[in-house]
Amino acid sequence: MNSFKEMEQFGDRTAVYADRAYSYSEMLELSDTICSNVGERTLVFCLCSNNKESLFGYVGFIRGGVVPVLLDASLHIDRLRRLINLYKPAYIWASSDHQDLSQSMESSFVYGDYTLFECPTQVQHDLHENLALLLTTSGSTGSPKFVRLSYENIFTNADSIAQYLNIDADDKPITTLPMNYSYGLSIINSHLICGATIVMTESSILKKEFWDLCKEQQVTTFGGVPFVYEMLDRLKFETLHLPSLKKLTQAGGKLSESLARKFAALCHQKGIQFYTMYGQTEATARISYLPYEDNMRKAGSIGIAIPGGELVLQDDNGNRITEPLMTGELIYKGPNVSLGYAESLFDLSKNDENNGVLHTGDMAYVDEEGYFFITGRIKRMIKMYGNRISLDDVEAFLHEHGHDCICAGNDDQMVIYTLKEDYVQIKKIIKEKLKLKSFKVMRIKEIPRNHFGKILYSDLPKHG
């Protein structure tokens, strides 16, 4: 199931606007040319930005059966080298200006501002026949753990999203999220399979040129993580005049109930459909959505399962909870549940380890009408600016750099506790190498532990 192979039907319709309009026919010709320079089915790293080169490369690789690994173009070179060593990609599709790659690798093909760099140490990858794509779960931390996605995962999820959002060929989304992030990619996939037009931009919503482009191209929809909606609130979204805007979507973390209510009311006044949604990369992207008609009445809810999916709750013993308002672990079942994880090239031949069932790690309850509400997370994960961050991954990364630290926090702020006077070095590493924002470094005298040596995170000093 590879729906990108069916896009020829859209012919002269505009597929992408990025400095100019590119029709589906033109996009597919360029995409297939990029992929043809790779040749055989193999592994390719794509260092993505929201530009036509990244998008065309992705479309070409998926159409041609090449397995892309989508990474942030700003990924620190140390992290990139580590991933290259673990996965041994045959090629890297990246900006021609990437100094480290241009100095160490041969160029095999150039399109626009991007070059297909040929990696010097090539291996024969044993790729599972259903493996289509690898996505990271941890933003810019450069974790070696990737989610293994199949063609069925990608396109059943895109179909479900297109169905509940009523996407058609007249829709025009604008990029507000990185395309290497599962939410941002799901917007691209769900619109391309419907013959819609993607407006590509790297401009922030805080820039005048973003809004000028929205008006010029008559954008109909965009999506955002909670931080985007906080910024829209500060920008006084209610005063913005965008008559073409028809749909707004929100995912990538829980929007505060007050802000959810405010945007629901504003969108109702403006005649805009406002959808809040819930998802995980492990389920390709989307798991549930709150129908726009219910966004005032059920503010704070993640809604109902997407078409073709099912949400259930389990207690600590693995028994299904059937009574409303009882909290348990949220379990999702559907064809978009990933094949599993990979931590090196040796995992790329693995079969489907999840069999369509995902333990989300989130605690939730369901109300009497069947709407689900998240109450907390089981694992030590937080979401910052839409990126899911593993506190354990950050700890391990700092330990690699000689800092004995522990991490805690919530979706608003990560706190790094250190035993030494090394605030400046830690801040520098986090900002430059992980490119994370909204964190605080605190010094403590000792790390609280129980008699088994396990860290007692709940006993750490509170942070404000």
Side-chain angles (χ1 to χ4, degrees):
M1 180 186 185
N2 187 336
S3 297
F4 281 173
K5 287 186 176 178
E6 299 166 9
M7 288 196 292
E8 282 87 352
Q9 63 181 304
F10 303 125
D12 292 334
R13 289 194 65 84
T14 300
V16 177
Y17 183 87
D19 64 49
R20 68 172 177 84
Y22 294 81
S23 70
Y24 273 86
S25 297
E26 188 176 8
M27 176 183 77
L28 296 181
E29 185 179 345
L30 290 165
S31 297
D32 291 346
T33 300
I34 295 166
C35 186
S36 69
N37 282 273
V38 172
E40 61 183 359
R41 177 170 164 81
T42 187
L43 196 71
V44 174
F45 279 8
C46 302
L47 302 191
C48 301
S49 295
N50 282 340
N51 55 35
K52 64 181 187 295
E53 292 89 345
S54 298
L55 181 65
F56 294 170
Y58 164 69
V59 169
F61 298 141
I62 294 293
R63 277 169 60 84
V66 166
V67 178
V69 183
L70 303 191
L71 299 167
D72 190 331
S74 65
L75 184 66
H76 192 275
I77 187 60
D78 291 351
R79 302 279 91 190
L80 179 59
R81 284 182 186 137
R82 183 185 179 200
L83 292 175
I84 291 170
N85 288 334
L86 280 170
Y87 287 92
K88 303 283 193 291
Y91 295 90
I92 300 178
W93 179 239
S95 169
S96 303
D97 293 335
H98 198 296
Q99 288 190 345
D100 293 278
L101 297 180
S102 59
Q103 289 170 9
S104 61
M105 297 181 188
E106 293 293 319
S107 164
S108 65
F109 176 73
V110 176
Y111 165 67
D113 294 332
Y114 264 48
T115 292
L116 192 63
F117 294 101
E118 189 168 357
C119 297
T121 54
Q122 296 211 9
V123 300
Q124 189 73 35
H125 289 88
D126 184 9
L127 303 174
H128 191 280
E129 62 179 353
N130 296 331
L131 182 65
L133 172 68
L134 296 178
L135 287 182
T136 180
T137 63
S138 57
S140 58
T141 60
S143 168
K145 182 186 276 190
F146 292 119
V147 174
R148 296 182 289 122
L149 297 171
S150 70
Y151 298 101
E152 183 185 19
N153 293 156
I154 296 168
F155 294 110
T156 57
N157 202 225
D159 283 337
S160 291
I161 295 165
Q163 192 176 324
Y164 74 72
L165 289 180
N166 298 308
I167 296 171
D168 62 31
D170 294 328
D171 278 309
K172 254 192 181 183
I174 188 169
T175 55
T176 50
L177 301 160
M179 66 169 284
N180 57 288
Y181 169 41
S182 60
Y183 181 14
L185 190 64
S186 75
I187 293 172
I188 289 169
N189 291 335
S190 58
H191 284 83
L192 286 181
I193 64 168
C194 295
T197 301
I198 314 282
V199 180
M200 301 290 288
T201 180
E202 295 183 68
S203 286
S204 155
I205 63 164
L206 299 176
K207 299 281 182 66
K208 181 177 180 291
E209 51 262 38
F210 175 87
W211 299 107
D212 288 345
L213 187 60
C214 279
K215 289 173 184 171
E216 175 201 311
Q217 290 302 311
Q218 297 186 313
V219 163
T220 64
T221 180
F222 64 80
V225 297
F227 175 71
V228 168
Y229 283 89
E230 289 164 15
M231 293 300 101
L232 285 174
D233 190 37
R234 290 183 198 173
L235 288 170
K236 299 198 183 308
F237 176 72
E238 61 272 21
T239 66
L240 296 177
H241 182 61
L242 296 165
S244 62
L245 199 60
K246 298 290 184 283
K247 270 175 272 195
L248 289 182
T249 64
Q250 183 271 316
K254 188 176 181 181
L255 192 62
S256 71
E257 193 170 323
S258 61
L259 211 51
R261 288 186 183 279
K262 182 171 183 177
F263 271 91
L266 279 173
C267 288
H268 180 71
Q269 290 168 15
K270 288 174 172 279
I272 296 169
Q273 296 176 0
F274 176 55
Y275 293 85
T276 55
M277 310 180 299
Y278 165 77
Q280 292 190 2
T281 307
E282 288 84 349
T284 309
R286 305 276 66 79
I287 287 173
S288 72
Y289 72 105
L290 182 61
Y292 74 92
E293 303 95 335
D294 297 321
N295 57 28
M296 287 287 286
R297 195 169 64 89
K298 298 287 184 181
S301 171
I302 63 165
I304 57 177
I306 64 171
E310 181 188 9
L311 286 171
V312 297
L313 297 172
Q314 279 186 4
D315 64 19
D316 292 342
N317 299 315
N319 300 314
R320 184 167 177 171
I321 297 171
T322 54
E323 293 179 46
L325 308 180
M326 285 187 65
T327 299
E329 184 182 3
L330 189 67
I331 312 293
Y332 174 76
K333 301 176 181 180
N336 52 309
V337 173
S338 67
L339 304 174
Y341 293 114
E343 297 199 51
S344 76
L345 64 90
F346 302 108
D347 295 328
L348 303 183
S349 60
K350 285 184 176 178
N351 289 319
D352 183 355
E353 296 177 313
N354 290 325
N355 297 308
V357 179
L358 177 67
H359 290 253
T360 67
D362 284 321
M363 301 298 287
Y365 68 88
V366 63
D367 70 10
E368 293 88 344
E369 295 181 74
Y371 289 75
F372 287 82
F373 292 78
I374 302 267
T375 58
R377 285 196 180 92
I378 297 173
K379 298 177 182 175
R380 285 184 11 90
M381 305 289 293
I382 61 174
K383 273 189 175 176
M384 296 198 305
Y385 302 99
N387 283 324
R388 193 146 52 111
I389 305 297
S390 164
L391 295 171
D392 294 330
D393 278 355
V394 178
E395 278 183 11
F397 182 71
L398 288 168
H399 288 168
E400 281 179 25
H401 286 77
H403 297 282
D404 190 13
C405 304
I406 58 174
C407 300
N410 53 40
D411 286 0
D412 297 317
Q413 186 180 63
M414 179 173 67
V415 183
I416 301 161
Y417 297 89
T418 177
L419 300 174
K420 301 173 185 173
E421 292 281 356
D422 50 358
Y423 311 88
V424 175
Q425 299 96 310
I426 291 170
K427 285 182 178 178
K428 192 169 190 287
I429 288 170
I430 297 291
K431 284 181 179 175
E432 290 183 7
K433 297 199 173 182
L434 298 187
K435 300 192 182 296
L436 297 179
K437 304 171 186 174
S438 191
F439 67 91
K440 182 178 180 181
V441 183
M442 283 183 72
R443 188 181 177 191
I444 52 176
K445 290 182 179 177
E446 61 180 7
I447 295 172
R449 299 178 186 271
N450 65 13
H451 57 284
F452 296 113
K454 188 176 179 181
I455 297 170
L456 299 171
Y457 289 97
S458 59
D459 289 356
L460 288 164
K462 299 301 173 197
H463 46 277

